[in-house]
Amino acid sequence: MFLFDKVKEALTKTRRVFSSVVGMESIDWDEILEKFLLVDVGADVAQEIVRDAKKRWLNAAPIEIALKEAIEDFLPEGKPQLFFTDSHPCVWLLIGVNGSGKTTTCAKLAKYSIDEFKANPLLVAADTFRAAAIDQLKIWGEKLNIDVISQKENSDPAAVVFDGLKAGKSRRKNPIIIDTAGRLHTKDNLMEELKKIERVINKEIEGEPSEVLLVLDASTGYNAVKQAEVFSKSLNVTGIILTKLDSSAKGGYVLNITKKFNIPVKFIGLGEGIEDLVPFDKAQYAEGLIP
């Protein structure tokens, strides 16, 4: 299946909401605005996109083209890229709440780095509060034939990260991809823990982490915006990875995050397979959203 087809398939549930828009004999802009709200686009963002689309439509653009162009223009220019260099080990730190798909995404990013950069990655299991997360990362490491640094359950996450950085440097691994815990119900402790990890990384490898990637579950819709707000207050989030996009009818909330936090979406997860993580492309997203 071609990449665009996979993106389009993942957005099927969201796109169905807009199916009645195509071929409208008379345009009901209030109905279109309601469609955006149904897919978890916030009111302010929805109104801005509808205003832009209306101008394009008045200039003779078909309604579906007007909407796609308005959505695409709303998103940042260019295609977001992961920072990677051979001059020193890059550190990619993954954060987010439990259940968002961080651990699997770590493995997918490792596979992506091998394919894209011919890299030799290292995985670090710093979600020490869940034995399942440690075991899962080890299984992925075996499947990908890459090293995984871990300690026993309930170990100090920062200590695991320190060990991972030492191992990464001595074994010439790059990138070093770090999984973390996501116990948002104890968010104050969690944020302090993540900031401590960030300090350990920067002390051991100056200028790192080069990527702090917030993993969000697309099926949670607008709640993901709240998560972005909590994490971005404490950490310099460099990008977002959307997971479980194929199971949601709320694929529009990415527009809210872009507007409110100015954080680019770098990848989208289109399934459970190791290669089901693709770079975000705003043109493909707009095409997939509107029939």
Side-chain angles (χ1 to χ4, degrees), residues 31-51:
E31 181 182 344
I32 292 174
L33 181 62
E34 183 180 339
K35 302 289 187 188
F36 278 104
L37 298 178
L38 285 173
V39 299
D40 268 24
V41 176
D44 291 347
V45 173
Q47 288 169 0
E48 185 173 337
I49 292 172
V50 167
R51 279 196 301 269

Side-chain angles (χ1 to χ4, degrees), residues 44-106:
D44 291 347
V45 173
Q47 288 169 0
E48 185 173 337
I49 292 172
V50 167
R51 279 196 301 269
D52 186 6
K54 190 173 183 178
K55 293 176 184 176
R56 296 170 189 271
W57 177 76
L58 289 170
N59 288 325
I63 182 60
E64 59 269 27
I65 299 300
L67 288 168
K68 289 174 185 178
E69 289 180 350
I71 290 169
E72 188 174 343
D73 279 2
F74 183 84
L75 293 165
E77 287 296 326
K79 295 181 180 179
Q81 301 290 328
L82 285 176
F83 179 83
F84 183 83
T85 179
D86 290 322
S87 64
H88 66 270
C90 299
V91 180
W92 300 347
L93 179 66
L94 272 68
I95 61 175
V97 301
N98 285 339
S100 61
K102 288 192 306 299
T103 304
T104 302
T105 301
C106 282

